[in-house]
Amino acid sequence: SGALVDRGANGGVARTNVRLIFVTGRQVDVLGHDKHHIVDIPIVTAGGVMDTKRGPVVALMHQYAYTGKGTTMHSCGQLEWCNNGINDKSIKVPGGLQRIQTDDGYIIPINFKSGLPYVKIRPYTDEEWATLPRVTLTNDVD
């Protein structure tokens, strides 16, 4: 149910632990490690429920590639471009806060698994879409 918070990624990838909101009609090619290459991936807006220090929210993720397999990956640079503060250092390291602070003040905890930073996320229900606050993680611009 977690999503990797990847400092080295150029863009976000939405997968099975979020819901599609909008498909832009544009595509992107994704190149990963070990020359892993996926072509013509749709660019979407997706959403998922994330826990914050103020309670659950529906997080909106614009301009993400959608593969439909595996778990979502967030690009730190893409999140930071939307004025979100990323501190993906462990609290065991000086200055580490293990959190994402959104532009509107929500704090999303980061957990570490096998030394990598993850945030909890899952697909929202129709009721959650209608009732939970929405937090924008990434801009809806090209």
Side-chain angles (χ1 to χ4, degrees):
S1 65
L4 180 64
V5 179
D6 192 342
R7 176 80 38 205
N10 293 330
V13 181
R15 295 183 171 137
T16 57
N17 53 352
V18 296
R19 276 180 70 174
L20 288 182
I21 297 169
F22 177 74
V23 179
T24 67
R26 293 178 293 118
Q27 291 85 29
V28 67
D29 294 346
V30 176
L31 179 62
H33 61 82
D34 293 332
K35 298 182 182 178
H36 183 74
H37 194 195
I38 309 171
V39 297
D40 297 328
I41 305 303
I43 297 174
V44 304
T45 295
V49 174
M50 299 180 88
D51 292 327
T52 75
K53 298 291 183 181
R54 293 166 38 191
V57 297
V58 173
L60 303 176
M61 297 156 282
H62 300 287
Q63 303 293 327
Y64 272 46
Y66 181 73
T67 64
K69 296 179 183 176
T71 57
T72 296
M73 180 182 67
H74 301 291
S75 160
C76 290
Q78 191 177 12
L79 294 170
E80 289 166 338
W81 185 252
C82 193
N83 297 317
N84 295 301
I86 312 296
N87 186 311
D88 53 343
K89 293 180 185 178
S90 167
I91 57 172
K92 296 178 181 180
V93 174
L97 298 175
Q98 286 185 220
R99 71 179 194 188
I100 298 170
Q101 183 168 355
T102 68
D103 188 37
D104 46 0
Y106 286 91
I107 303 291
I108 301 165
I110 293 176
N111 299 303
F112 283 86
K113 181 178 180 183
S114 299
L116 296 173
Y118 288 86
V119 291
K120 290 183 180 180
I121 192 166
R122 63 173 174 75
Y124 59 85
T125 65
D126 291 342
E127 181 179 342
E128 288 169 326
W129 177 260
T131 60
L132 290 179
R134 296 186 191 155
V135 171
T136 302
L137 294 183
T138 56
N139 286 318
D140 189 17
V141 293
D142 296 343

